[in-house]
Amino acid sequence: QVQLVESGGGLVQPGGSLRLSCAASGIFFSIYDMGWYRQAPGKQRELVAVISSSGTTNYADSVKGRFTISRTNTKNTVYLQMNSLKPEDTAVYYCRSSWSQYEYWGQGTQVTVSS
């Protein structure tokens, strides 16, 4: 059974930092591309950052220079370091794994940026 479990969300003040983690099980993690997506209330889910199986990264323009995606294959885990957080970063953040026709999503973790 495939599981993606996100953690690390919470309430943070503007300008603060959070580190999200996504632990995967039931997949051969190292061959999967991994990504973080987010969905704010009333908005569509959007790409935040992705990291390929070879380590190539890509970011949404809105988070470039502030967020960093990384992965540790020995721990089956992908991370999202979020710095200089803004109120507009408030959303539920989801982890996604993809390889060939296979795609899996986590349940999401809430990030709220507010003073």
Side-chain angles (χ1 to χ4, degrees), residues 43-81:
K43 294 188 177 181
Q44 290 190 333
R45 191 172 297 188
E46 64 177 2
L47 170 71
V48 176
V50 293
I51 183 166
S52 72
S53 57
S54 62
T56 301
T57 59
N58 201 4
Y59 297 91
D61 287 343
S62 59
V63 306
K64 281 181 181 177
R66 300 188 297 124
F67 291 10
T68 303
I69 189 171
S70 62
R71 63 191 295 162
T72 302
N73 289 341
T74 55
K75 295 185 177 181
N76 287 4
T77 301
V78 62
Y79 305 95
L80 186 68
Q81 178 66 44

Side-chain angles (χ1 to χ4, degrees), residues 3-48:
Q3 279 194 313
L4 300 179
V5 180
E6 302 99 335
S7 61
L11 173 64
V12 63
Q13 292 187 342
S17 298
L18 282 175
R19 188 195 195 202
L20 305 184
S21 299
C22 171
S25 60
I27 60 173
F28 191 25
F29 182 81
S30 64
I31 68 172
Y32 276 74
D33 296 335
M34 300 298 297
W36 287 97
Y37 293 73
R38 67 186 180 187
Q39 187 166 19
K43 294 188 177 181
Q44 290 190 333
R45 191 172 297 188
E46 64 177 2
L47 170 71
V48 176

